[in-house]
């Protein structure tokens, strides 16, 4: 590495040399990933334009797992969610939909519901907490659909209690409002509720699930629900340009994730709680939520971003361990935050060693910050 290498260059080079990762499933080379996909393929025929082969097999598996009439594979969750909300709106006399102000719809999609689909988006709340019945009641007018994100990622992977979830969906049905589940991390949320995926999905009128987060697939999502709604969403998939000639690698990766990683979700959540408890006892470290609701949580450190980035890079370069993918300024001046998501790589590494590595990282960052300010 040259002396003028940027932090991004250093991180990329160092990550390639890492042998242990605190978060996620670890890194694979492109070649190894393709080899694993080839070994996981089981369908005898290829899919074509979203029909047949691994794609059709995946759609059947998802519908059965969620207890819905049908499911459709989508290349992205953004496409799946927009197709769902637009399809519900087409059945309604109003173009108003309700979402959380911190939901993926609002934070990450460039106002797509209003810009592309001309829907009037109302916020249940903008506060960093799950939406409540009271929030729904404050939106007094008619609604074409309401969406709940489980967990609410941009508030710290928060979940409502089962009782709160039932109360919310019951109130929506009393008002005749379909409830859509943004279940990008439904697989990861299921252990919190200790109910089957079908029992959770039954509270909702449509359900979106992701295949590349906890399941570790290449990309892709599914929208599940009544047969007629899914058929309507397929039309929106085509309009969005999502009916690719073949979606083989995405479907294979998704089915492989369902086979290999879905059964491990409870273990991921358990390790997340153990890690959070250990990190929360370190001086100058806080976690949120405490305990975590899913396999992911936020970590706050009393040290500046620059010092933590440098300490993280040094750990990657010298110890070949990846402890954090990024650091950002926290709302408290002088503090930084990151997110930690537990996966296969986390479970493959002894927790006491993980905690020791994080304590060393925090100490190094705080020493570096003090040295820089002196």
């Amino acid at each position: 590495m040259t002396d003028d290498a940027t932090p991004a260059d250093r991180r990329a080079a160092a990550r390639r040399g890492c042998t242990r990762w605190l978060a996620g499933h670890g890194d694979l080379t492109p070649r190894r990933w393709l080899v694993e996909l080839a070994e996981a393929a089981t369908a005898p025929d290829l899919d074509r334009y979203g029909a047949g082969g691994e794609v059709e097999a995946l759609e059947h598996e998802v519908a059965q797992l969620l207890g819905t009439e049908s499911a459709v594979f989508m290349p992205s969750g953004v496409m799946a969610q927009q197709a769902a909300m637009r399809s519900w709106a087409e059945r309604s006399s109003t173009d108003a939909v309700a979402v959380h102000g911190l939901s993926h719809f609002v934070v990450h999609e460039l106002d797509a519901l209003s810009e592309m689909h001309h829907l009037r988006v109302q916020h249940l709340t903008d506060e960093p907490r799950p939406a409540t019945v009271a929030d729904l009641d404050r939106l007094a007018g008619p609604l074409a659909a309401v969406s709940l994100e489980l967990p609410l990622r941009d508030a710290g992977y928060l979940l409502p209690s089962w009782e709160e979830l039932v109360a919310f969906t019951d109130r929506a049905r009393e008002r005749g409002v379909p409830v859509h589940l943004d279940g990008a991390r439904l697989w990861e949320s299921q252990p919190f509720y200790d109910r089957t995926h079908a029992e959770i999905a039954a509270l909702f009128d449509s359900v979106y699930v992701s295949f590349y987060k906890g399941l570790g697939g290449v990309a892709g999502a599914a929208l599940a629900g009544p047969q007629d709604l899914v058929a309507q969403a397929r039309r929106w998939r085509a309009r969005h340009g999502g009916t690719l000639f073949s979606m083989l690698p995405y479907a294979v990766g998704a089915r492989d994730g369902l086979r290999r990683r879905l059964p491990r979700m409870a273990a991921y959540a358990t390790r997340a709680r153990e890690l959070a408890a250990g990190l929360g006892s370190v001086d100058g470290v806080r976690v949120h939520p405490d305990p975590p609701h899913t396999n992911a949580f936020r970590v706050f450190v009393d040290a500046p971003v620059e010092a933590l980035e440098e300490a993280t890079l040094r750990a990657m370069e010298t110890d070949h361990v990846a402890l954090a993918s990024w650091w950002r300024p926290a709302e408290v001046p002088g503090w930084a935050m990151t997110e930690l998501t537990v996966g296969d790589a986390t479970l493959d590494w002894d927790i006491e060693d993980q905690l020791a590595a994080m304590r060393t990282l925090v100490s190094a960052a705080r020493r570096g910050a003090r040295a820089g300010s002196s």
Side-chain angles (χ1 to χ4, degrees):
M1 186 65 62
T2 61
D3 292 338
D4 60 349
T6 67
D9 293 334
R10 285 179 62 195
R11 177 178 286 275
R15 192 167 185 93
R16 286 192 291 270
C18 285
T19 57
R20 290 176 294 179
W21 296 264
L22 182 60
H25 302 307
D27 287 359
L28 290 176
T29 64
R31 176 180 291 275
R32 181 58 196 166
W33 204 350
L34 291 173
V35 167
E36 287 193 359
L37 288 173
E39 292 173 347
T42 60
D45 302 310
L46 291 172
D47 66 283
R48 283 291 180 262
Y49 298 107
E54 296 276 358
V55 172
E56 184 174 326
L58 174 63
E59 291 173 345
H60 287 311
E61 287 179 17
V62 170
Q64 185 174 30
L65 188 59
L66 299 180
T68 60
E69 290 182 356
S70 186
V72 55
F73 178 82
M74 300 270 187
S76 76
V78 171
M79 187 183 299
Q81 298 234 85
Q82 290 180 27
M85 298 299 273
R86 177 62 183 266
S87 295
W88 285 121
E90 288 177 334
R91 299 165 173 230
S92 175
S93 60
T94 180
D95 58 0
V97 296
V99 303
H100 198 293
L102 294 179
S103 68
H104 199 280
F105 283 116
V106 176
V107 178
H108 301 289
E109 297 181 20
L110 301 177
D111 299 321
L113 287 179
S114 57
E115 292 290 335
M116 294 180 63
H117 300 283
H118 310 294
L119 301 181
R120 289 188 296 117
V121 179
Q122 301 185 30
H123 292 188
L124 292 160
T125 179
D126 294 323
E127 296 179 13
R129 57 167 177 80
T132 65
V133 170
D135 296 323
L136 182 59
D137 287 345
R138 277 193 287 271
L139 301 180
L143 295 169
V146 59
S147 174
L148 288 182
E149 181 180 331
L150 299 182
L152 187 58
R153 184 266 174 91
D154 281 292
Y157 301 91
L158 299 181
L159 288 167
S161 70
W162 180 255
E163 292 74 21
E164 291 169 332
L165 193 57
V166 170
F168 188 98
T169 54
D170 282 350
R171 181 60 58 85
R173 286 201 172 88
E174 289 171 7
R175 292 178 53 173
V177 180
V179 187
H180 169 71
L181 170 57
D182 175 348
R185 294 172 175 84
L186 173 60
W187 315 122
E188 296 89 329
S189 301
Q190 182 270 332
F192 178 83
Y193 293 117
D194 194 25
R195 286 169 167 82
T196 67
H197 300 95
E199 287 177 293
I200 299 171
L203 298 179
F204 298 87
D205 298 284
S206 59
V207 179
Y208 143 64
V209 291
S210 175
F211 298 125
Y212 73 88
K213 296 178 176 68
L215 295 183
V218 179
L223 178 65
Q227 180 71 46
D228 56 346
L229 182 87
V230 170
Q232 199 170 348
R234 286 183 185 275
R235 294 173 63 82
W236 279 108
R237 181 181 67 177
R239 290 167 177 148
H240 276 275
T243 310
L244 309 182
F245 177 60
S246 175
M247 295 183 272
L248 175 66
Y250 311 127
V252 170
R255 296 185 70 200
D256 188 43
L258 288 172
R259 286 191 296 267
R260 291 199 294 132
R261 294 190 172 113
L262 189 58
R264 307 194 79 187
M265 289 297 169
Y268 297 157
T270 297
R271 173 60 66 88
R273 290 190 289 271
E274 293 169 347
L275 275 173
L279 291 172
S281 66
V282 177
D283 182 43
V285 177
R286 299 290 183 271
V287 298
H288 174 72
D290 187 12
H293 295 177
T294 69
N295 68 321
F297 59 97
R298 291 185 165 182
V299 180
F300 297 84
V301 178
D302 183 10
V305 169
E306 296 78 12
L308 283 162
E309 285 282 7
E310 180 60 27
T312 302
L313 275 171
R314 288 188 179 276
M316 295 169 74
E317 291 168 339
T318 61
D319 300 327
H320 308 295
V321 296
L323 299 174
S325 297
W326 50 263
W327 292 96
R328 296 173 187 163
E331 292 185 0
V332 177
W335 283 65
M337 64 85 65
T338 189
E339 293 179 348
L340 200 162
T341 302
V342 171
D344 289 347
T346 323
L347 297 187
D348 290 342
W349 186 8
D350 179 76
I351 186 171
E352 293 304 325
D353 291 343
Q354 292 172 337
L355 292 172
M358 284 298 290
R359 285 192 290 266
T360 299
L361 173 74
V362 172
S363 296
R366 298 178 80 179
R367 284 196 307 271
R370 288 193 296 269
S373 62
S374 61

